[in-house]
Amino acid sequence: MIQVRGLTRTYHGRAGEPDQVILRNVDLDIAGGTMVALIGRSGSGKTTLLSILGGLDDGFSGSVRIDGLELAGLDDSALSRLRATTIGMVFQTAQHIAYLTCLDNVCLPALFADNDQGRPARRTPPWSAVRARARELLETVGLSGLEARRPGKLSGGQQQRLGIARALLNRPSLLLCDEITGNLDPITGAGVIELLTELNQAHQVTVLMATHDTQVAASADSVLVIEDGRVRAGQVPVGATS
């Protein structure tokens, strides 16, 4: 699913300032259908790595393949299509359109599935089918009955569940999660991770989640540690409960 070779990401300093190497010659393989935790201290490069894997950051050197597709050299249109059809992303801070209902927020990715201008694509399913899929996902993430509610009226955990539902609308094979329990209390966060585990097991969605929480890491099949710009295999924490 994910194959990375020699990945390096450097942020160039302004005049007189040194360059900052965030990722150093990273090699990485993640098999499809697995759930992997990426752990490391704040500023270690977790978000940078997820941004590159998600096609949001193209300023890297090395080889990055997602589902066999080489990201280097893809133009903005191709990267947009990849994000719309193959990759779902969920962030620490919920990114919702405040004036839209929960149902409409989940439907949004359908507008960009095969189109770069924000218009429904020729191959987009009928809107009734999109809304039916969105309702199904809201039920899956435990938000059934809240279709007409605005995101601002949801709790933090519900907003994260809404983000997961939206990320899954176009049936991606890869879900990238960046500290999605970071703003949640332990009980709510555990519920979100339990949901991700169920989705991974039931639908074989590959999940890569950046976290500094050992309880979150304990729910994964395997753990990667990022430190000093390098990524290595780690141990799933023993004794922590998700």
Side-chain angles (χ1 to χ4, degrees):
M1 180 65 198
I2 298 176
Q3 185 181 65
V4 175
R5 294 292 182 270
L7 172 62
T8 297
R9 181 61 168 104
T10 302
Y11 291 107
H12 299 288
R14 287 180 265 180
E17 296 180 351
D19 293 344
Q20 185 178 13
V21 181
I22 305 299
L23 300 173
R24 304 172 184 270
N25 200 35
V26 171
D27 292 340
L28 175 63
D29 289 283
I30 295 177
T34 57
M35 188 166 177
V36 180
L38 176 67
I39 63 175
R41 61 177 177 78
S42 297
S44 60
K46 299 190 300 294
T47 297
T48 297
L49 179 57
L50 290 188
S51 295
I52 291 172
L53 296 178
L56 297 175
D57 181 348
D58 60 0
F60 62 88
S61 61
S63 173
V64 177
R65 289 181 176 271
I66 304 296
D67 227 7
L69 182 64
E70 178 65 62
L71 299 194
L74 292 182
D75 60 19
D76 289 342
S77 295
L79 288 171
S80 294
R81 285 193 295 273
L82 179 69
R83 288 192 297 269
T85 60
T86 303
I87 302 170
M89 301 191 72
V90 187
F91 302 94
Q92 178 175 359
T93 302
Q95 307 287 328
H96 303 306
I97 307 299
Y99 60 83
L100 295 180
T101 65
C102 289
L103 182 65
D104 287 339
N105 267 280
V106 176
C107 289
L108 279 175
L111 296 175
F112 305 98
D114 191 40
N115 189 283
D116 302 316
Q117 286 76 46
R119 298 189 300 272
R122 290 189 300 274
R123 292 195 293 273
T124 297
W127 198 244
S128 59
V130 172
R131 291 176 71 83
R133 165 74 174 161
R135 290 180 186 278
E136 174 187 315
L137 286 169
L138 286 171
E139 182 176 359
T140 297
V141 301
L143 297 180
S144 181
L146 302 181
E147 292 86 354
R149 189 168 297 187
R150 299 295 192 273
K153 298 297 184 180
L154 301 180
S155 69
Q158 287 174 326
Q159 289 194 31
Q160 288 295 50
R161 287 171 177 265
L162 181 63
I164 293 169
R166 183 181 59 195
L168 292 172
L169 183 76
N170 290 332
R171 294 180 171 83
S173 52
L174 172 63
L175 192 61
L176 302 175
C177 305
D178 192 5
E179 297 283 8
I180 63 171
T181 64
N183 293 331
L184 305 177
D185 63 82
I187 294 177
T188 303
V192 170
I193 296 304
E194 182 179 0
L195 171 62
L196 286 179
T197 302
E198 292 172 357
L199 291 169
N200 166 255
Q201 294 176 350
H203 303 287
Q204 291 299 295
V205 177
T206 305
V207 179
L208 176 60
M209 48 187 182
T211 185
H212 61 270
D213 189 329
T214 56
Q215 291 185 339
V216 173
S219 68
D221 299 319
S222 61
V223 171
L224 298 171
V225 179
I226 184 167
E227 188 175 23
D228 296 326
R230 302 184 185 278
V231 177
R232 59 177 174 82
Q235 296 293 322
V236 176
V238 177
T241 57
S242 57

